[in-house]
Amino acid sequence: MADSMPDVVRRKPDWMAKLEREFTIGKEDLAGIAKDMLAKMEVGLARENTEMKMLASFVRKRPTGHEVGTVYALDFGGTNFRVCQLDLTDDASGYRFHAVKFKIPEELKLAPGEKLFDFFADSVNSFLNQQGITLTAPGAVPDLREQLKKAKLGFTFSFPIQQLALDKGILLQWNKGFNNPGVVGSDVVELLHHAFDRKGIPFRVTALVNDTVGTLLANGYKNPNTTVGAIIGTGTNAAYWESVDRIRKWTGDKSGDMVVNTEWGAFTPQARLLTTYDKRLDDESINPGMQVFEKMISGRYIGEIVRLILVDLHSRGHILTNVPRLPAKLTTPYEFDTEYLSRLAVEQVQTSSPYPIVQQVMAEVGVQVLEDDRRKILEIAELVALRSARISVAGVAALILQQKLTQGTTVAVDGSVYELYPRYKQHMEATLVELLGTVTGPAVTLELGKDGSGIGAAVIAALG
Ligand code: BGC
């Protein structure tokens, strides 16, 4: 009977109303997040070892769009390692980009650092082999080794790095489920070069780059009006152009601008904004108390939040009452991938629907979902994803305000959540208007910075 009841008279269960209240962050609270973040950014610009790390990138040159030549980039994000080649041309197309993706095996995420770097070196070898280049074979051309040795090579390492120079930087902490011993505190460029030496690869890194910095520069190459680069993927973070005299901890030349990597994922919002599920996820994670903002936003975590909610509601007899034992994908931490959320949300919450896609996706997860529960699952996924989009905008707003812009600007965003979660961009846009206003504030345009981390690292390497 319940299923044929028109929606208007279908009463929302109390537990759903409570969930909605907990996951809905209103305009005032978003403005509060932006304000707190701005204050913490100021502290991070003044000192080391702060919550918002505000890391100097050593990138001070803006691309003109007229750079030419072949440059390479290695892109280590979290899910994949990509080997990229970028041919910069002076024609209208700007560049040709070619990349080969190597999925990082799950077991490498906790393996000794050497193993991870060996995997990178092996991937570079496979890439070169695919291009018909064999470096180790008898008779391999020595000239070619010399050529590669001199090539410009960007290395995107998407974790917090304290840069000591453009081509040198120390890993401060692991995130996104990685915890390889022997890397924190070391120069990741040196570790990569050691792996290259073990595997006979002549390449040498000329620029070490965070993915947000890469995204900002790659977009700036096409659109000089870009002032922020953000990633909302496995992890989340943003970088922006700052005037060097405001980076108080910077002891070098104070003239001009420099890109600052904010590491906003480490921002901790006020505790009252966290739900019991956020707290549980954090407590049970490998880095409790760290990356709290990231844990509310990014792809590594939002599927897990939904999983925790579903398991809890099931144990309290509110949903999936037809399923006596939940399948492994719902009982095992991190098995309910954020990709499922993106697939569920292809369907929109409607007044009346049998929700065939929800049924199909959840069948893959291992449960037969009754019609009434399908809508609830979709609503829960939407609540978590919408909160993610909204609070990431609070971060964007903080960066826009920090820059004291007087005219409109472009924010380049890349990452699987932003790109693949249906309507994520629209949710962000609506929240931007809500937060910054259309009349008083500068117009902010969001642009997909596709492949920005790889392209940007190559552009930065080209700039030298
Ligand atoms: C890392 C950042 C990175 C972001 C997006 C975070 O976990 O700390 O350095 O930019 O993920 O990949």
Side-chain angles (χ1 to χ4, degrees), residues 1-13 351 375:
M1 272 312 279
D3 276 337
S4 58
M5 206 186 284
D7 261 24
V8 270
V9 297
R10 198 194 306 238
R11 214 181 130 258
K12 192 169 278 174
T351 42
R375 176 195 175 123

mmCIF file of all heavy atoms in Angstrom, residues 1-13 351 375:
data_model
loop_
_atom_site.group_PDB
_atom_site.id
_atom_site.type_symbol
_atom_site.label_atom_id
_atom_site.label_comp_id
_atom_site.label_asym_id
_atom_site.label_seq_id
_atom_site.Cartn_x
_atom_site.Cartn_y
_atom_site.Cartn_z
ATOM 1 N N MET A 1 0.817 -1.207 0.000
ATOM 2 C CA MET A 1 0.000 0.000 0.000
ATOM 3 C C MET A 1 0.858 1.267 0.000
ATOM 4 O O MET A 1 0.626 2.168 -0.786
ATOM 5 C CB MET A 1 -0.922 0.023 1.241
ATOM 6 C CG MET A 1 -2.263 -0.665 1.049
ATOM 7 S SD MET A 1 -3.112 -0.202 -0.455
ATOM 8 C CE MET A 1 -3.852 1.356 0.020
ATOM 9 N N ALA A 2 1.854 1.227 0.905
ATOM 10 C CA ALA A 2 2.675 2.437 1.087
ATOM 11 C C ALA A 2 3.224 2.944 -0.240
ATOM 12 O O ALA A 2 3.275 4.144 -0.481
ATOM 13 C CB ALA A 2 3.810 2.149 2.046
ATOM 14 N N ASP A 3 3.598 2.001 -1.142
ATOM 15 C CA ASP A 3 4.226 2.414 -2.391
ATOM 16 C C ASP A 3 3.298 3.158 -3.325
ATOM 17 O O ASP A 3 3.754 3.920 -4.172
ATOM 18 C CB ASP A 3 4.821 1.201 -3.094
ATOM 19 C CG ASP A 3 6.206 0.920 -2.539
ATOM 20 O OD1 ASP A 3 6.824 1.845 -1.989
ATOM 21 O OD2 ASP A 3 6.633 -0.216 -2.636
ATOM 22 N N SER A 4 1.993 2.922 -3.215
ATOM 23 C CA SER A 4 1.093 3.605 -4.136
ATOM 24 C C SER A 4 0.601 4.941 -3.551
ATOM 25 O O SER A 4 -0.116 5.678 -4.182
ATOM 26 C CB SER A 4 -0.101 2.702 -4.452
ATOM 27 O OG SER A 4 -0.725 2.380 -3.231
ATOM 28 N N MET A 5 1.039 5.223 -2.324
ATOM 29 C CA MET A 5 0.603 6.463 -1.682
ATOM 30 C C MET A 5 1.262 7.671 -2.361
ATOM 31 O O MET A 5 2.462 7.641 -2.619
ATOM 32 C CB MET A 5 1.060 6.418 -0.218
ATOM 33 C CG MET A 5 0.222 7.243 0.721
ATOM 34 S SD MET A 5 1.006 7.201 2.346
ATOM 35 C CE MET A 5 0.560 5.583 2.898
ATOM 36 N N PRO A 6 0.512 8.724 -2.706
ATOM 37 C CA PRO A 6 1.178 9.872 -3.322
ATOM 38 C C PRO A 6 2.215 10.464 -2.369
ATOM 39 O O PRO A 6 2.029 10.435 -1.151
ATOM 40 C CB PRO A 6 0.039 10.872 -3.564
ATOM 41 C CG PRO A 6 -1.187 10.298 -2.966
ATOM 42 C CD PRO A 6 -0.917 8.923 -2.488
ATOM 43 N N ASP A 7 3.260 10.998 -2.970
ATOM 44 C CA ASP A 7 4.374 11.470 -2.154
ATOM 45 C C ASP A 7 4.016 12.550 -1.164
ATOM 46 O O ASP A 7 4.559 12.618 -0.081
ATOM 47 C CB ASP A 7 5.450 12.014 -3.077
ATOM 48 C CG ASP A 7 6.500 10.971 -3.271
ATOM 49 O OD1 ASP A 7 6.182 9.789 -3.096
ATOM 50 O OD2 ASP A 7 7.623 11.355 -3.570
ATOM 51 N N VAL A 8 3.127 13.444 -1.592
ATOM 52 C CA VAL A 8 2.801 14.578 -0.724
ATOM 53 C C VAL A 8 2.289 14.136 0.645
ATOM 54 O O VAL A 8 2.497 14.817 1.640
ATOM 55 C CB VAL A 8 1.759 15.509 -1.384
ATOM 56 C CG1 VAL A 8 2.439 16.568 -2.189
ATOM 57 C CG2 VAL A 8 0.753 14.729 -2.199
ATOM 58 N N VAL A 9 1.613 12.971 0.664
ATOM 59 C CA VAL A 9 1.064 12.564 1.965
ATOM 60 C C VAL A 9 1.981 11.555 2.655
ATOM 61 O O VAL A 9 1.734 11.160 3.773
ATOM 62 C CB VAL A 9 -0.370 11.971 1.853
ATOM 63 C CG1 VAL A 9 -1.327 13.003 1.327
ATOM 64 C CG2 VAL A 9 -0.390 10.716 0.997
ATOM 65 N N ARG A 10 3.046 11.140 1.952
ATOM 66 C CA ARG A 10 3.974 10.185 2.567
ATOM 67 C C ARG A 10 4.800 10.930 3.615
ATOM 68 O O ARG A 10 5.514 11.870 3.284
ATOM 69 C CB ARG A 10 4.904 9.609 1.498
ATOM 70 C CG ARG A 10 5.583 8.336 1.951
ATOM 71 C CD ARG A 10 6.729 8.012 1.025
ATOM 72 N NE ARG A 10 6.316 7.960 -0.382
ATOM 73 C CZ ARG A 10 6.469 6.890 -1.165
ATOM 74 N NH1 ARG A 10 6.973 5.783 -0.698
ATOM 75 N NH2 ARG A 10 6.120 6.951 -2.422
ATOM 76 N N ARG A 11 4.685 10.569 4.854
ATOM 77 C CA ARG A 11 5.382 11.300 5.918
ATOM 78 C C ARG A 11 6.827 10.867 5.962
ATOM 79 O O ARG A 11 7.150 9.701 5.856
ATOM 80 C CB ARG A 11 4.693 11.017 7.244
ATOM 81 C CG ARG A 11 4.735 12.211 8.164
ATOM 82 C CD ARG A 11 4.067 11.923 9.482
ATOM 83 N NE ARG A 11 4.976 12.328 10.552
ATOM 84 C CZ ARG A 11 5.706 11.495 11.251
ATOM 85 N NH1 ARG A 11 5.653 10.225 11.039
ATOM 86 N NH2 ARG A 11 6.503 11.950 12.196
ATOM 87 N N LYS A 12 7.700 11.848 6.104
ATOM 88 C CA LYS A 12 9.118 11.531 6.195
ATOM 89 C C LYS A 12 9.388 10.910 7.557
ATOM 90 O O LYS A 12 8.991 11.470 8.576
ATOM 91 C CB LYS A 12 9.894 12.839 6.052
ATOM 92 C CG LYS A 12 11.337 12.657 5.839
ATOM 93 C CD LYS A 12 11.960 13.970 5.436
ATOM 94 C CE LYS A 12 11.772 14.230 3.951
ATOM 95 N NZ LYS A 12 12.199 15.493 3.494
ATOM 96 N N PRO A 13 10.043 9.734 7.597
ATOM 97 C CA PRO A 13 10.311 9.168 8.923
ATOM 98 C C PRO A 13 11.198 10.099 9.749
ATOM 99 O O PRO A 13 12.004 10.855 9.193
ATOM 100 C CB PRO A 13 11.051 7.857 8.616
ATOM 101 C CG PRO A 13 11.197 7.766 7.147
ATOM 102 C CD PRO A 13 10.591 8.970 6.496
ATOM 103 N N THR A 351 9.104 12.610 -7.535
ATOM 104 C CA THR A 351 7.898 12.378 -6.739
ATOM 105 C C THR A 351 7.498 10.908 -6.777
ATOM 106 O O THR A 351 7.083 10.338 -5.804
ATOM 107 C CB THR A 351 6.733 13.247 -7.244
ATOM 108 O OG1 THR A 351 6.767 13.210 -8.665
ATOM 109 C CG2 THR A 351 6.844 14.653 -6.743
ATOM 110 N N ARG A 375 14.404 5.052 -2.889
ATOM 111 C CA ARG A 375 14.402 6.515 -2.806
ATOM 112 C C ARG A 375 15.190 6.992 -1.585
ATOM 113 O O ARG A 375 15.928 7.969 -1.641
ATOM 114 C CB ARG A 375 12.949 6.972 -2.723
ATOM 115 C CG ARG A 375 12.822 8.441 -2.548
ATOM 116 C CD ARG A 375 11.418 8.797 -2.120
ATOM 117 N NE ARG A 375 11.376 10.215 -1.856
ATOM 118 C CZ ARG A 375 10.536 11.046 -2.467
ATOM 119 N NH1 ARG A 375 9.689 10.587 -3.354
ATOM 120 N NH2 ARG A 375 10.557 12.308 -2.169
#
